[in-house]
Amino acid sequence: MTREEGGYFHSVRLDLDKCKGCTNCIKRCPVEAIRVREGKAQIMQERCIDCGECVRVCPNHAKYVVTDGLERLQDFRYRVALPAPAFYGQFRPDVPPGGVLAALLKAGFDGVFEVAVAAEAVTLAIRAYLERGMPRTARPLISSACPAVIRLMQVRFPSLLGHIIPVETPMEIAARLAKEEKAREWGVTPREIGAFFVAPCAAKVTAAKQPEGSPVSSVDGVLSMSAMYAEVLRRLPDVDLSAELHRSSGMGIGWGSAGGEGRAVGTGTVLAVDGIHNVVTVLEEVERGTLADVDFIEAQACVGGCIGGPLAVQNPFISRVRMRRLVEEYGGRAPGAGEAEVRRRFRQGFFDMVRPIAPRPVLRLDEDVTRAIRKMDRLEKTLARLPGLDCGACGSPTCRALAEDIVREKAFETDCIFQLREHLEELAERMVQLTRIVPPALSRERAPGGGGSGDPERRD
Amino acid sequence: MAEELVLEFEVGGLDFAAVGEASGGVKRALQQVGMGASVVRRAAVCAFEVETNIVIHATRGVVRARISPERVVVEAEDEGPGIRDLELAMREGYSTAPAYIREMGFGAGMGFANMRRCSDSMEVSSEVGKGTRVRLVIEVGKP
Ligand code: SF4
Ligand code: SF4
């Protein structure tokens, strides 16, 4: 998988054969990136934020997430698995994290490194960042952990990008730490090690293939959590469930479900919001400046957090209970990441995002403001003629979106069935009128209903 | 002005459910027009404040955005009680909003302060028993 030619890499794809053009997906997309044209959905590549809403909502399973297959493991001499904290919550209560890790080892990995441990390091780094930067930076600060939220902000909330905490995500930090640690342990170079993230979602795949805060990601492959769930299940009978492989504490495991990150960071007023549409409403408030009393926002695109990711298997409400129990069980442990060490490396910039997250102004109608204003004017006038029912029958999510598509020359006003009906009505009337027209060569008597002047009725 | 786009939103008094529609509309339009993030944000805040003012204090009103490449003007006109003491009303933290509205988190008396902070010029005129007009200008060139 590489970046698509000149475009933006997307992990959310469409299976044209399965798509029935039912328009279920167009309504759920938070950035109005889907249209149905000629009976099939289309994802507007430049807009999509890979949140996976459409994957979840499609009744025909036509939307899917591309991940790497296990055969990618062959590309590396040594491989390490990086399970997302939410992965632990997928299994029955009698399967401890250590057992999950042991099973992963049997599935073709030479080592495991828990993303939960990296999440602990990131927690400590965020605390260090907050202590340092709090008074000067924009408030409230927004977590960088959910890549779908970051991409949402690039498209819809560019003015808030400066609020994002420029600390790298647990996934990224896990890959870096894992390579360092295993290279030392195995006496090999980090380049020989492939780091494979076990992902709950499409957005993480995109973040690994096309990172925002750093030019390249240390993650070499992204495996689907649901695929790895099956791999682990298959091997569980053969593993020692009490294997001493698990290091993370409740602090890091908690990151796997909504609210956990905020609880871990634990300083100041924390607002935790989950579900992409809820995130939109909270970010709108931030934009209005009404949340100045909040210090830190943990925002996750999926309902329930990563346990609700589109690649998760378990019902998120059930895994939430499971996650909560794990957090309690390992809550008393010292974090797997050492505080002094994290602080030292934080000062050295190990956790920093090295480049600012840039806006993606894909919503604008034209590069040129004057022309865009003119188009906006046309858009409003077009919209005024549409029925305002937002029925979606035209294949655009709302009447406004159709008006926008018309202005962008991607649709016609007659794509609206109501507009079409009106046009047909006019056309029918016109046809009736046309039938009354008598060709000049015919006699006056034969003209149906024709009277008065000899001239045929001509209207236009 | 040739290149001016005028958007108009009707706002009903006490229609709290609809709060955010006008400002949301203004924001979306400005993003689509390609205004910079700061202009979008400032105009959205201005629109939101005039919009909530109408909802809280007036019987009905209209929020208008005049968009041109050089500036965004946010205007509001309402029918309502008007403002008795403009100077007092502009003071930060001063509000005549009744308790039940404050409980909803509105009417904290920051409206005019926010408008002033986010606009390059602000004009308010009011007639007691008739209504209030607000005009806020956001210059595109300025940060
Ligand atoms: S992944 Fe999200 S943003 Fe992309 S098309 Fe689907 S719903 Fe829209
Ligand atoms: S909440 Fe978690 S699973 Fe969902 S998109 Fe964000 S990072 Fe992925």
Side-chain angles (χ1 to χ4, degrees), chain A residues 85 116-117 119-124 127 248-256 260-261 263-265 326-327 330-337 339:
Chain A
V117 169
E120 285 159 8
V122 170
T123 303
L124 299 172
R127 282 188 198 161
S248 59
S249 72
M251 182 200 246
I253 298 172
W255 278 64
E261 178 189 351
R263 252 192 323 273
V265 172
L326 286 173
V327 168
Y330 300 106
R333 275 199 189 195
E339 173 135 24

Side-chain angles (χ1 to χ4, degrees), chain B residues 39-60:
Chain B
V39 172
V40 175
R41 181 180 187 161
R42 289 159 63 210
V45 170
C46 286
F48 181 71
E49 292 298 351
V50 293
E51 179 183 19
T52 35
N53 266 355
I54 296 173
V55 171
I56 296 171
H57 300 288
T59 24
R60 66 159 160 267

Side-chain angles (χ1 to χ4, degrees), chain A residues 146-222:
Chain A
C146 176
V149 170
I150 298 299
R151 281 154 180 76
L152 172 77
M153 289 172 68
Q154 289 179 297
V155 172
R156 282 187 61 176
F157 299 94
S159 75
L160 299 182
L161 291 170
H163 290 241
I164 298 170
I165 300 181
V167 169
E168 267 300 351
T169 61
M171 171 184 83
E172 200 54 49
I173 296 297
R176 293 185 200 172
L177 290 177
K179 285 184 179 177
E180 262 182 30
E181 184 182 291
K182 301 301 173 195
R184 217 181 309 125
E185 226 172 81
W186 298 334
V188 301
T189 63
R191 290 172 154 271
E192 290 175 279
I193 302 175
F196 289 86
F197 180 60
V198 181
C201 65
K204 295 281 196 197
V205 182
T206 305
K209 307 290 170 192
Q210 187 166 262
E212 284 298 333
S214 306
V216 279
S217 170
S218 301
V219 177
D220 301 292
V222 186

Side-chain angles (χ1 to χ4, degrees), chain B residues 74-97:
Chain B
V74 175
E75 297 172 342
E77 284 160 29
D78 69 41
E79 290 167 31
I83 303 172
R84 212 167 285 278
D85 188 339
L86 262 180
E87 212 175 298
L88 191 60
M90 303 269 196
R91 214 175 283 166
E92 211 162 296
Y94 177 83
S95 171
T96 55

Side-chain angles (χ1 to χ4, degrees), chain A residues 155-160 163 286-288 290 363-365 369-370 372-374 376-377 379-380 400 404, chain B residues 3-5 7 20 23 27-29 31-35 37-38 41 44-45 48-49 67-69 114 117:
Chain A
V155 172
R156 282 187 61 176
F157 299 94
S159 75
L160 299 182
H163 290 241
V286 178
E287 205 162 44
R288 280 178 206 138
T290 52
L363 301 180
R364 67 175 175 208
L365 295 168
V369 175
T370 308
I373 288 177
R374 226 174 283 149
M376 193 68 211
D377 192 44
L379 191 160
E380 292 291 335
R400 170 168 283 276
E404 189 189 319
Chain B
E3 301 303 341
E4 189 185 64
L5 170 69
L7 303 177
S23 46
K27 180 194 157 183
R28 184 180 43 211
Q31 277 190 333
Q32 290 194 304
V33 158
M35 291 287 179
S38 128
R41 181 180 187 161
V45 170
F48 181 71
E49 292 298 351
I67 303 169
S68 70
N114 281 341
R117 184 170 53 82

